[in-house]
Every structure is written in structure tokens, then in C-alpha cells.
Amino acid sequence: MKKLLLILLCLFISTIVKSQDIPGEGLVTAEFNAPFSGTECEYLEDLTDCDLVKIDISKTPTLQGKHKIVVVPTLVIFFDGVEVARFQANIMMKLEATKNEVQEKIDEILMDAF
């Protein structure tokens, strides 16, 4: 019975971690953040022509290390699973990149892909 509970717990944890992983195809903008920052990217949902992923690094520290996240919030744009752009918060944990700057980068990446 203990083994069964342990297996179920492992499956549950792996499902949570996988649900916050970065999709490997297409254009994806990921916001890496944590509750302690007290800030977030206010315009993330307004970005177009890309998939959006929110990653809580306090719940998935392996993704923090894998993607070298040193400050939150951080926006990372991936194309087919490869990082192509990054926007980091300042020392006050405030993202200075505007919606227009991020959207322009998304548009540029899409145009370069053709």
C-alpha cells in the first residue's frame, strides 16, 4: 500500500512539473515569476501571435536553473524550444520592457522565420 501511494505521489508531482514546462514548437512567450516578487507582467495576456506560459519558479526550481532565471519577473521568448529573446526586471523587480517592445520582438522573430 505504501508503494502504491508513493507511485501515485510521484505521478502527481511529475504531472505538475510537466504542466509548467515550455512547449517545444512554435513561438512561445514565457513569464518566469514567483509570488514573493509581488509584481507580474501586466500585458502578458495582450501579446499576440504567440503561445503564453506562466511559470512559478518557486514551484519548479529546475526550470529556473535550466533557463538561468536570476530575477523575476523575466519574459523569455522561445522559438521551437530555443531562447531567442529575454526581458528581465530591474533591481526593484519591475519589468521595464513595454508591451510594444515585446510585441515588436515577437513580430520580428516571426518575420525572420519566413
Side-chain angles (χ1 to χ4, degrees), residues 35-94:
F36 63 79
S37 77
T39 62
E40 62 181 27
C41 179
E42 297 171 357
Y43 54 80
L44 184 69
E45 302 295 327
D46 297 330
L47 297 174
T48 61
D49 301 320
C50 64
D51 291 329
L52 304 172
V53 177
K54 288 187 174 193
I55 298 172
D56 182 345
I57 63 168
S58 68
K59 293 180 179 173
T60 54
T62 55
L63 291 178
Q64 176 187 7
K66 178 180 177 182
H67 298 290
K68 298 177 175 70
I69 304 300
V70 295
V71 64
V72 290
T74 294
L75 293 182
V76 180
I77 302 173
F78 296 91
F79 187 73
D80 290 340
V82 177
E83 179 179 333
V84 292
R86 178 180 290 236
F87 301 90
Q88 296 183 146
N90 61 21
I91 195 163
M92 300 301 292
M93 294 187 186
K94 180 174 176 8

Coordinates of all heavy atoms in Angstrom, one line a residue, residues 35-94:
P35 N 5.7 34.2 -6.4 CA 4.8 35.0 -5.6 C 5.5 36.1 -4.7 O 4.9 37.2 -4.5 CB 4.1 34.0 -4.6 CG 4.2 32.7 -5.4 CD 5.5 32.8 -6.1
F36 N 6.7 35.8 -4.3 CA 7.4 36.8 -3.5 C 7.8 38.1 -4.2 O 8.1 39.1 -3.6 CB 8.7 36.2 -2.9 CG 9.8 35.8 -3.9 CD1 10.6 36.7 -4.5 CD2 9.9 34.5 -4.2 CE1 11.5 36.3 -5.4 CE2 10.9 34.1 -5.2 CZ 11.7 35.0 -5.7
S37 N 7.7 38.1 -5.5 CA 8.1 39.3 -6.3 C 7.1 40.4 -6.1 O 7.4 41.6 -6.2 CB 8.3 39.0 -7.8 OG 7.1 38.9 -8.4
G38 N 5.8 40.0 -6.0 CA 4.7 41.0 -5.8 C 4.4 41.7 -7.1 O 3.6 42.7 -7.1
T39 N 5.1 41.4 -8.2 CA 4.8 42.0 -9.5 C 4.6 41.0 -10.6 O 4.9 39.8 -10.4 CB 5.9 43.0 -9.9 OG1 7.1 42.2 -10.1 CG2 6.2 44.1 -8.9
E40 N 4.0 41.4 -11.7 CA 3.9 40.5 -12.8 C 3.8 41.3 -14.1 O 3.8 42.5 -14.0 CB 2.6 39.7 -12.7 CG 1.3 40.5 -12.7 CD 0.1 39.6 -12.5 OE1 0.1 38.5 -11.9 OE2 -1.0 40.1 -13.0
C41 N 3.9 40.6 -15.2 CA 3.8 41.3 -16.5 C 2.3 41.6 -16.7 O 1.5 40.7 -17.0 CB 4.4 40.4 -17.6 SG 4.3 41.2 -19.2
E42 N 1.9 42.8 -16.6 CA 0.5 43.2 -16.7 C 0.0 43.1 -18.1 O -1.3 42.9 -18.3 CB 0.4 44.7 -16.3 CG 0.8 44.9 -14.9 CD 0.8 46.4 -14.5 OE1 0.6 47.3 -15.3 OE2 1.1 46.6 -13.3
Y43 N 0.8 43.0 -19.2 CA 0.3 43.0 -20.5 C 0.5 41.6 -21.2 O 0.3 41.4 -22.4 CB 1.0 44.0 -21.4 CG 2.5 44.0 -21.3 CD1 3.2 43.1 -22.1 CD2 3.2 44.9 -20.5 CE1 4.6 43.1 -22.0 CE2 4.6 44.9 -20.5 CZ 5.3 43.9 -21.2 OH 6.6 43.9 -21.2
L44 N 0.9 40.6 -20.4 CA 1.3 39.3 -21.0 C 0.1 38.8 -21.8 O 0.3 38.3 -23.0 CB 1.6 38.3 -19.9 CG 2.1 36.9 -20.4 CD1 3.4 37.0 -21.1 CD2 2.1 35.9 -19.2
E45 N -1.1 38.8 -21.3 CA -2.3 38.3 -22.0 C -2.6 39.1 -23.2 O -3.4 38.6 -24.1 CB -3.5 38.2 -21.0 CG -3.3 37.4 -19.8 CD -3.1 35.9 -20.0 OE1 -3.7 35.4 -21.0 OE2 -2.3 35.3 -19.3
D46 N -2.1 40.3 -23.4 CA -2.4 41.1 -24.6 C -1.4 40.8 -25.7 O -1.7 41.4 -26.8 CB -2.3 42.6 -24.2 CG -3.4 43.0 -23.1 OD1 -4.4 42.3 -23.1 OD2 -3.1 43.9 -22.4
L47 N -0.4 40.1 -25.5 CA 0.6 39.8 -26.6 C -0.1 38.9 -27.6 O -0.9 38.0 -27.2 CB 1.8 39.1 -26.0 CG 2.7 40.0 -25.1 CD1 3.8 39.2 -24.5 CD2 3.2 41.2 -25.8
T48 N 0.2 39.1 -28.9 CA -0.4 38.3 -29.9 C 0.6 37.5 -30.7 O 1.8 37.7 -30.7 CB -1.2 39.2 -30.9 OG1 -0.3 40.1 -31.5 CG2 -2.3 40.0 -30.2
D49 N 0.1 36.5 -31.5 CA 0.9 35.7 -32.4 C 1.9 34.8 -31.7 O 2.9 34.4 -32.3 CB 1.6 36.5 -33.4 CG 0.6 37.3 -34.3 OD1 -0.5 36.8 -34.6 OD2 0.9 38.5 -34.5
C50 N 1.6 34.4 -30.4 CA 2.5 33.5 -29.7 C 1.7 32.8 -28.6 O 0.6 33.3 -28.2 CB 3.7 34.2 -29.1 SG 3.2 35.4 -27.8
D51 N 2.2 31.7 -28.2 CA 1.6 31.0 -27.1 C 2.1 31.6 -25.8 O 3.3 32.2 -25.8 CB 1.9 29.5 -27.1 CG 1.2 28.8 -28.2 OD1 0.1 29.2 -28.6 OD2 1.7 27.8 -28.7
L52 N 1.4 31.6 -24.7 CA 1.8 32.2 -23.5 C 1.9 31.1 -22.4 O 1.0 30.3 -22.3 CB 0.8 33.3 -23.1 CG 0.5 34.4 -24.1 CD1 -0.6 35.3 -23.6 CD2 1.8 35.2 -24.3
V53 N 2.9 31.2 -21.6 CA 3.1 30.3 -20.5 C 3.6 31.1 -19.3 O 4.4 32.0 -19.4 CB 4.2 29.2 -20.8 CG1 4.5 28.3 -19.6 CG2 3.9 28.4 -22.0
K54 N 2.9 30.8 -18.1 CA 3.4 31.4 -16.9 C 4.0 30.3 -16.0 O 3.5 29.2 -15.8 CB 2.2 32.0 -16.1 CG 1.6 33.2 -16.7 CD 0.6 33.8 -15.8 CE 0.1 35.2 -16.3 NZ -0.7 35.9 -15.4
I55 N 5.2 30.6 -15.5 CA 6.0 29.6 -14.8 C 6.3 30.2 -13.4 O 7.0 31.2 -13.3 CB 7.3 29.2 -15.5 CG1 6.9 28.6 -16.8 CG2 8.1 28.3 -14.7 CD1 8.0 28.3 -17.7
D56 N 5.9 29.5 -12.4 CA 6.2 29.9 -11.0 C 7.4 29.2 -10.6 O 7.4 28.0 -10.4 CB 5.0 29.5 -10.1 CG 5.2 29.9 -8.7 OD1 6.3 30.2 -8.3 OD2 4.2 29.8 -7.9
I57 N 8.5 29.9 -10.5 CA 9.8 29.3 -10.2 C 9.9 28.7 -8.8 O 10.8 27.9 -8.5 CB 11.0 30.2 -10.5 CG1 11.0 31.4 -9.6 CG2 11.1 30.6 -11.9 CD1 12.2 32.3 -9.6
S58 N 9.0 29.2 -7.9 CA 9.0 28.6 -6.5 C 8.5 27.2 -6.5 O 8.8 26.4 -5.6 CB 8.2 29.5 -5.6 OG 6.8 29.5 -5.9
K59 N 7.7 26.9 -7.6 CA 7.1 25.5 -7.7 C 8.0 24.6 -8.6 O 7.9 23.4 -8.5 CB 5.7 25.6 -8.2 CG 4.7 26.2 -7.2 CD 3.3 26.2 -7.7 CE 2.4 26.9 -6.7 NZ 1.0 27.0 -7.3
T60 N 8.7 25.2 -9.5 CA 9.5 24.5 -10.4 C 11.0 25.1 -10.5 O 11.4 25.6 -11.5 CB 8.9 24.5 -11.8 OG1 8.7 25.9 -12.2 CG2 7.6 23.8 -11.9
P61 N 11.7 24.9 -9.4 CA 13.1 25.5 -9.4 C 14.0 24.9 -10.5 O 15.0 25.5 -10.9 CB 13.6 25.1 -8.0 CG 12.7 24.1 -7.5 CD 11.4 24.2 -8.2
T62 N 13.7 23.7 -11.0 CA 14.5 23.1 -12.0 C 14.4 23.9 -13.3 O 15.4 24.1 -14.0 CB 14.1 21.6 -12.3 OG1 12.7 21.6 -12.6 CG2 14.4 20.7 -11.2
L63 N 13.3 24.5 -13.6 CA 13.1 25.3 -14.7 C 13.9 26.7 -14.5 O 14.4 27.2 -15.5 CB 11.7 25.6 -15.1 CG 10.9 24.4 -15.6 CD1 9.4 24.7 -15.9 CD2 11.5 23.9 -16.9
Q64 N 13.9 27.1 -13.3 CA 14.7 28.4 -13.0 C 16.1 28.1 -13.3 O 16.8 29.0 -14.0 CB 14.5 28.7 -11.5 CG 15.4 29.9 -11.2 CD 15.4 30.2 -9.7 OE1 14.8 29.5 -8.9 NE2 16.0 31.4 -9.3
G65 N 16.7 27.0 -12.9 CA 18.1 26.7 -13.2 C 18.3 26.5 -14.6 O 19.3 27.0 -15.2
K66 N 17.5 25.7 -15.3 CA 17.6 25.3 -16.7 C 17.7 26.6 -17.6 O 18.4 26.6 -18.5 CB 16.5 24.4 -17.1 CG 16.5 24.0 -18.5 CD 15.3 23.1 -18.9 CE 15.3 22.7 -20.4 NZ 14.1 21.9 -20.7
H67 N 16.8 27.5 -17.3 CA 16.7 28.7 -18.1 C 17.5 29.9 -17.5 O 17.3 31.1 -18.0 CB 15.3 29.1 -18.4 CG 14.6 28.0 -19.1 ND1 14.8 27.7 -20.4 CD2 13.6 27.1 -18.7 CE1 14.1 26.7 -20.8 NE2 13.3 26.3 -19.8
K68 N 18.3 29.7 -16.5 CA 19.1 30.7 -15.9 C 18.3 32.0 -15.5 O 18.7 33.1 -15.9 CB 20.3 31.0 -16.8 CG 21.2 29.8 -17.0 CD 22.3 30.1 -18.0 CE 23.2 29.0 -18.2 NZ 22.8 27.8 -18.8
I69 N 17.3 31.8 -14.8 CA 16.5 32.9 -14.3 C 17.1 33.5 -13.0 O 17.2 32.8 -12.0 CB 15.0 32.5 -14.1 CG1 14.4 31.9 -15.3 CG2 14.2 33.7 -13.6 CD1 14.4 32.8 -16.5
V70 N 17.5 34.7 -13.1 CA 18.2 35.3 -11.9 C 17.4 36.4 -11.3 O 17.7 36.9 -10.1 CB 19.6 35.9 -12.3 CG1 20.5 34.7 -12.7 CG2 19.5 36.9 -13.4
V71 N 16.3 36.9 -12.0 CA 15.5 38.0 -11.4 C 14.1 37.7 -11.9 O 13.9 37.2 -13.1 CB 16.0 39.4 -11.8 CG1 16.0 39.6 -13.3 CG2 15.2 40.5 -11.1
V72 N 13.1 38.1 -11.1 CA 11.7 37.9 -11.6 C 11.0 39.2 -11.5 O 11.3 40.0 -10.6 CB 10.9 36.8 -10.7 CG1 11.5 35.5 -11.1 CG2 11.0 37.1 -9.2
P73 N 10.0 39.5 -12.3 CA 9.6 38.7 -13.5 C 10.6 38.8 -14.6 O 11.3 39.8 -14.8 CB 8.3 39.2 -13.9 CG 8.3 40.6 -13.4 CD 9.1 40.7 -12.2
T74 N 10.7 37.7 -15.4 CA 11.5 37.6 -16.6 C 10.7 37.1 -17.7 O 10.0 36.0 -17.5 CB 12.8 36.8 -16.4 OG1 13.7 37.4 -15.5 CG2 13.5 36.6 -17.7
L75 N 10.6 37.7 -18.8 CA 10.0 37.2 -20.0 C 11.0 36.6 -20.9 O 12.0 37.3 -21.2 CB 9.2 38.3 -20.8 CG 8.0 39.0 -20.1 CD1 7.4 40.0 -21.1 CD2 7.0 38.0 -19.7
V76 N 10.8 35.4 -21.4 CA 11.7 34.7 -22.3 C 10.8 34.3 -23.5 O 9.8 33.7 -23.4 CB 12.4 33.5 -21.7 CG1 13.3 32.9 -22.7 CG2 13.2 33.9 -20.5
I77 N 11.3 34.7 -24.7 CA 10.6 34.3 -25.9 C 11.4 33.1 -26.5 O 12.6 33.2 -26.7 CB 10.5 35.4 -26.9 CG1 9.8 36.6 -26.3 CG2 9.8 35.0 -28.2 CD1 9.8 37.9 -27.2
F78 N 10.7 32.0 -26.8 CA 11.3 30.8 -27.4 C 10.7 30.6 -28.8 O 9.5 30.8 -29.0 CB 10.9 29.6 -26.5 CG 11.5 29.6 -25.1 CD1 10.7 30.1 -24.1 CD2 12.7 29.0 -24.9 CE1 11.2 30.1 -22.8 CE2 13.2 29.0 -23.6 CZ 12.5 29.6 -22.5
F79 N 11.5 30.1 -29.7 CA 11.1 29.7 -31.0 C 11.5 28.3 -31.2 O 12.8 28.0 -31.2 CB 11.6 30.7 -32.1 CG 11.0 30.4 -33.4 CD1 9.7 30.7 -33.7 CD2 11.8 29.7 -34.4 CE1 9.2 30.4 -35.0 CE2 11.2 29.4 -35.6 CZ 9.9 29.8 -35.9
D80 N 10.6 27.4 -31.4 CA 10.9 26.0 -31.5 C 11.8 25.5 -30.3 O 12.7 24.7 -30.5 CB 11.5 25.6 -32.8 CG 10.4 25.8 -34.0 OD1 9.2 25.8 -33.7 OD2 10.8 25.9 -35.1
G81 N 11.5 25.9 -29.1 CA 12.2 25.5 -27.9 C 13.5 26.2 -27.7 O 14.2 25.9 -26.7
V82 N 13.9 27.1 -28.5 CA 15.2 27.8 -28.3 C 15.0 29.2 -27.9 O 14.1 29.9 -28.6 CB 16.0 27.7 -29.7 CG1 17.3 28.5 -29.5 CG2 16.3 26.3 -30.1
E83 N 15.7 29.7 -26.9 CA 15.5 31.1 -26.5 C 16.0 32.0 -27.5 O 17.1 31.9 -28.0 CB 16.3 31.3 -25.2 CG 16.2 32.7 -24.7 CD 16.9 33.0 -23.4 OE1 17.0 32.1 -22.6 OE2 17.3 34.2 -23.2
V84 N 15.2 33.0 -27.9 CA 15.6 34.0 -28.9 C 15.5 35.4 -28.4 O 16.1 36.3 -29.0 CB 14.7 33.9 -30.2 CG1 15.0 32.6 -30.9 CG2 13.2 34.0 -29.9
A85 N 14.9 35.6 -27.2 CA 14.9 37.0 -26.6 C 14.6 36.9 -25.1 O 13.9 35.9 -24.7 CB 13.9 37.9 -27.3
R86 N 15.0 37.9 -24.4 CA 14.8 37.9 -22.9 C 14.6 39.3 -22.5 O 15.3 40.2 -22.9 CB 16.0 37.2 -22.2 CG 15.9 37.2 -20.7 CD 17.2 36.6 -20.1 NE 17.2 35.1 -20.4 CZ 17.2 34.2 -19.5 NH1 17.3 34.5 -18.2 NH2 17.2 32.9 -19.8
F87 N 13.7 39.5 -21.6 CA 13.4 40.8 -21.0 C 13.3 40.6 -19.5 O 12.5 39.8 -19.0 CB 12.1 41.4 -21.4 CG 12.0 41.6 -22.9 CD1 11.5 40.6 -23.8 CD2 12.4 42.8 -23.5 CE1 11.5 40.8 -25.1 CE2 12.4 43.0 -24.9 CZ 11.9 42.0 -25.7
Q88 N 14.3 41.2 -18.7 CA 14.4 41.0 -17.3 C 13.9 42.2 -16.5 O 14.1 43.3 -17.0 CB 15.8 40.6 -16.9 CG 16.3 39.4 -17.5 CD 17.7 39.0 -17.0 OE1 18.0 37.9 -16.9 NE2 18.6 40.0 -16.8
A89 N 13.4 42.0 -15.3 CA 13.1 43.0 -14.4 C 14.3 43.8 -13.9 O 15.4 43.2 -13.9 CB 12.3 42.5 -13.2
N90 N 14.1 45.0 -13.4 CA 15.2 45.7 -12.8 C 15.4 45.3 -11.4 O 14.8 44.3 -10.9 CB 15.0 47.2 -12.9 CG 13.7 47.7 -12.2 OD1 13.2 47.0 -11.3 ND2 13.2 48.8 -12.6
I91 N 16.3 45.9 -10.7 CA 16.7 45.5 -9.3 C 15.5 45.7 -8.4 O 15.4 45.1 -7.3 CB 17.9 46.3 -8.8 CG1 18.4 45.7 -7.6 CG2 17.5 47.8 -8.6 CD1 19.8 46.2 -7.2
M92 N 14.5 46.5 -8.8 CA 13.3 46.7 -8.0 C 12.2 45.7 -8.3 O 11.0 45.8 -7.9 CB 12.7 48.1 -8.1 CG 13.7 49.2 -7.7 SD 14.2 49.1 -6.0 CE 12.7 49.5 -5.2
M93 N 12.5 44.6 -9.1 CA 11.6 43.6 -9.6 C 10.5 44.2 -10.4 O 9.3 43.7 -10.3 CB 11.1 42.8 -8.4 CG 12.1 41.9 -7.7 SD 11.3 40.9 -6.5 CE 12.8 40.2 -5.7
K94 N 10.8 45.2 -11.2 CA 9.8 45.8 -12.1 C 10.3 45.5 -13.5 O 11.4 45.9 -13.9 CB 9.7 47.2 -11.8 CG 8.6 47.9 -12.7 CD 8.4 49.4 -12.3 CE 7.5 50.2 -13.2 NZ 6.8 49.6 -14.2

